[in-house]
Amino acid sequence: MDTIINAFFNIDIMRQAAPLLLKGASVTLQLCAVVVVLGISGGLALGLLASSKNAAVRLPAFVFIDVFRAIPPLILLILIYAGLPFIGIRVTPFVAVCIAFLLNNSAYFAEIFRSGIKSVARGQTEAARATGLSPAQTQAYVILPQAVRNVLPDLLSNVVEIVKLTSIASVVSLTELLYSANMARAVTYNSSPLVMAALMYLVVLWPLVRVISRFQRGLSISS
């Protein structure tokens, strides 16, 4: 038992690794803020395009969504970071992660937004147009607010998945939380920094998971 505690819960090693892990956590939070905004923005645009009645607009959006939902995000990240230099384009690890997450997450958010838009009754559109609202105003003021409310738990769940997925950034040597924990583990020859990193993820994600659960229960009761 003492051996297990020393290997995974060594308080002295955790204390020594704390500054490095806190710096990594800061990078992770910055990365999450950027990729979530990019993913939601791109997903909303794609969701609107995929909901268009114009096939010339809708079909390319569906192709984009299907392709980037099918490509594993880790492969996409490595392809961008290690592949682009072969055509003369070099990007930093942070930029490579942002591009990969924009392409991948936009596709998933697009499907969520499209489902939300489809869940709004057609009569809402007809009623809004009857009051004199333009198609753009109808989408912005009538359809999208209801669509977002209908799929809010799914949106939040996807945000949680994105935060967890940012750990793959370590493969391109971005000094986020997991990469920092691995560096500390390599120096100390102890797994305690990885346990500490897991606890830090838990502190960040657990409240969001609880919020999602409350939304889901609330929607179940209201329905």
Side-chain angles (χ1 to χ4, degrees):
M1 180 63 70
D2 290 341
T3 302
I4 294 175
I5 293 175
N6 186 61
F8 293 98
F9 300 98
N10 191 306
I11 301 300
D12 290 334
I13 290 178
M14 286 183 174
R15 188 182 299 112
Q16 294 171 17
L20 182 61
L21 266 63
L22 288 173
K23 185 176 180 180
S26 175
V27 174
T28 294
L29 291 175
Q30 293 174 39
L31 181 63
C32 290
V34 173
V35 298
V36 167
V37 170
L38 289 175
I40 291 176
S41 301
L44 178 58
L46 278 171
L48 290 172
L49 293 176
S51 302
S52 173
K53 295 180 180 179
N54 187 337
V57 173
R58 185 176 66 252
L59 293 179
F62 272 117
V63 171
F64 182 100
I65 292 169
D66 287 346
V67 167
F68 286 104
R69 287 178 70 194
I71 299 177
L74 180 58
I75 293 177
L76 184 61
L77 173 57
I78 295 174
L79 181 63
I80 291 171
Y81 183 71
L84 289 182
F86 286 101
I87 59 173
I89 301 175
R90 296 185 178 276
V91 294
T92 64
F94 192 92
V95 172
V97 175
C98 288
I99 295 173
F101 273 61
L102 170 63
L103 296 174
N104 181 260
N105 294 328
S106 293
Y108 282 96
F109 275 119
E111 278 297 277
I112 294 173
F113 280 118
R114 189 176 70 86
S115 298
I117 292 170
K118 288 180 63 178
S119 70
V120 179
R122 185 182 298 272
Q124 296 287 326
T125 300
E126 296 171 353
R129 296 302 305 278
T131 63
L133 293 179
S134 67
Q137 289 173 324
T138 299
Q139 283 286 358
Y141 302 133
V142 178
I143 305 301
L144 284 180
Q146 296 182 68
V148 170
R149 181 186 179 278
N150 291 343
V151 297
L152 190 55
D154 294 326
L155 289 173
L156 292 175
S157 294
N158 208 42
V159 169
V160 171
E161 293 303 315
I162 290 173
V163 174
K164 292 190 291 186
L165 199 59
T166 55
S167 60
I168 70 171
S170 61
V171 303
V172 294
S173 301
L174 181 65
T175 54
E176 44 74 62
L177 182 54
L178 179 59
Y179 185 84
S180 300
N182 263 325
M183 288 177 59
R185 178 195 56 79
V187 171
T188 60
Y189 298 100
N190 189 283
S191 297
S192 297
L194 291 175
V195 173
M196 187 175 179
L199 293 174
M200 293 172 75
Y201 273 114
L202 181 63
V203 168
V204 172
L205 293 176
W206 184 79
L208 189 54
V209 170
R210 296 307 307 157
V211 169
I212 294 171
S213 297
R214 291 190 64 180
F215 268 118
Q216 290 172 333
R217 287 198 299 270
L219 289 177
S220 298
I221 294 173
S222 62
S223 61

